[in-house]
Structure formats: C-alpha cells, structure tokens
Amino acid sequence: MEIREVFARNLRAARQGKGLSQEELAHRADIDRTYISSLERSVYNASIDVVDRLATVLGIEACELLKRPPEEPQMSTAELDD
C-alpha cells in the first residue's frame, strides 16, 4: 500500500472516529473541504504542514496519520495446499 493510501485511510478513520464531517474538519483546520475529500481519495499528496494541522485538529500525533497497518500474515504454499 502506498503512503498516500495509508494517509487517506488513516485520515478518514480518524475523522470519522471523532464524529467530524469533511466540512467540519476542513473548517477547523482552515483547509478547503474539497481538498479534504481529495486527500481521503488519495488524489493529492499532503504537505507535512497539512498533515500536522490535520493531526492537531484531530487530537492525534501526525505520525498516526502515516502509520501503516500491521501486515497480515502470509500463508505458505504448504498451508494453501491443505
């Protein structure tokens, strides 16, 4: 998964977890709502300043927006044959 997709997924999850609409998050972060939508759809890359601003509004560390999900365990060929 590309970092842009990781960021998009984490941003959406954090926003929804706080019960914020894209519009409300955009307003609080002083960012255009359509830009939030584009970030959540992996259309644009966010600058480090935007990542920090969004994290601040969401009440999380910026690194949480860039954290990759734990990889799912890979099955070996032998396990697939069983």
Side-chain angles (χ1 to χ4, degrees):
M1 180 181 310
E2 291 184 20
I3 192 67
R4 191 187 306 186
E5 295 170 303
V6 170
F7 175 74
R9 182 181 289 180
N10 291 341
L11 176 60
R12 182 178 293 116
R15 177 182 61 75
Q16 290 174 340
K18 296 290 183 180
L20 296 174
S21 66
Q22 289 179 346
E23 187 171 356
E24 182 62 25
L25 176 59
H27 175 73
R28 292 182 186 188
D30 196 28
I31 297 172
D32 190 82
R33 190 217 44 91
T34 59
Y35 187 60
I36 299 291
S37 173
S38 295
L39 291 174
E40 288 189 0
R41 292 181 291 120
S42 302
V43 174
Y44 296 130
N45 290 317
S47 72
I48 195 72
D49 294 326
V50 168
V51 171
D52 185 56
R53 198 175 333 161
L54 291 168
T56 299
V57 169
L58 292 166
I60 59 177
E61 294 292 325
C63 63
E64 293 300 314
L65 292 173
L66 301 172
K67 191 179 223 175
R68 292 185 185 277
E71 290 188 33
E72 294 185 22
Q74 298 289 324
M75 296 182 91
S76 69
T77 306
E79 290 174 313
L80 292 173
D81 290 338
D82 287 342

